[in-house]
Amino acid sequence: MPDEPLVLGIETSCDETGVGIVRGTTLLADAIASSVDEHARFGGVVPEVASRAHLEAMVPTIERALKEAGVSARDLDGIAVTAGPGLAGALLVGVSAAKSYAYALGKPLYGVNHLASHICVDQLEHGPLPEPTMALLVSGGHSSLLLAPDITSDVRPMGATIDDAAGEAFDKIARVLHLGFPGGPVIDRLAREGDPTAIAFPRGLTGPRDAAYDFSFSGLKTAVARWIEAKRNAGEEVPVRDVAASFQEAVVDVLTRKAVRACKDEGVDHLMIGGGVAANSRLRALAADRCERAGIRLRVPRPGLCTDNGAMVAALGAEMVARNRSASDWQLSADSSLPVTEPHVPSHDQDGHDHGGHDHGDHGHGGHGHGGHDHDHLHELSKENLYS
Ligand code: KG4
Ligand code: ZN
């Protein structure tokens, strides 16, 4: 619908430079530049390499998205950007770019939360999010169970990993098996030809006294690495497919079990799964099976929307505009540990109340904002934020 908000979203929290454009809940463009190949030889994302790659890719990716969407930057109703959590230097590139474009174009700026964006992206595929929705977010950087009564103002943490993220465990086991980086896709592929019951690997934090919704993958990772080492030391061949399948089963068994339990305990009948690991075929299949048996409707976006992208940021930005949430001010800073309870960073300006009616308390940004455009803005932008 033409009166729905047209929003451009910028995502630079990790190694993908993502720029998406949406109108309401309709995806118009999703441009991505990834530096994943540059990190592969290090076996993980190198922050400095990511920041530099974002700088180089930013303007061309924005231009590509505008062209793909067939819209002019002048027509935008807002510019959204991931303010956190993520790699500080990488986030800063996106926040600086978003501020520059928003300032130059005279558009409102929305600093949004990366995790809430991962949830909101599902609107682009399956329509408006039911309220409340339970969300299982699993990626290389995060593994959380979140209850979202309102994705623009009320996101509550149910549980999270106490050590490694689920994707990190996939990446580490892939490294032990010499399968390259990132490890998830290749383990997923090999596991299809393996036996998931071949080796009984431990299910972390599933004892009666363990935290019901928290995750732990560090013990599993060690157990798998030791098992492989023992085989190698004995001069035996490592059954890679069976190891991959058994390891993967241990991860997805715990993830789906806890997610379904959280839904039942909270009386929530919609579960969404997002983040890069949501691309995992066995996770999708087991979640579908367990949700169906529990009477829960499962929503999983297509893999391209599960991994980090700009469309998810635009989706949440558009929802902010649609619900009249206040824009961020020019003091917006990248916050590498932005709490999940803050779906967006509202203006702290006296004139610009957060219309969400949600008191976020002290954000620690110490900023006093400015409402309108005045000469100070350019000074602030260039002085403290632009590639400093
Ligand atoms: O969301 P994402 O692109 O980036 C962040 O970490 O935020 O997620 C990347 C992670 C990597 O750890 C990768 O190994 C994992 O998602 N991944 C998968 C699969 N595809 C990607 N893990 C399991 N199965 C997959 N098919
Ligand atoms: Zn992510």
Side-chain angles (χ1 to χ4, degrees), residues 13 114 118 139 142 308 312:
S13 69
H114 181 79
H118 265 304
S139 76
H142 28 81
D308 290 350
M312 67 191 211

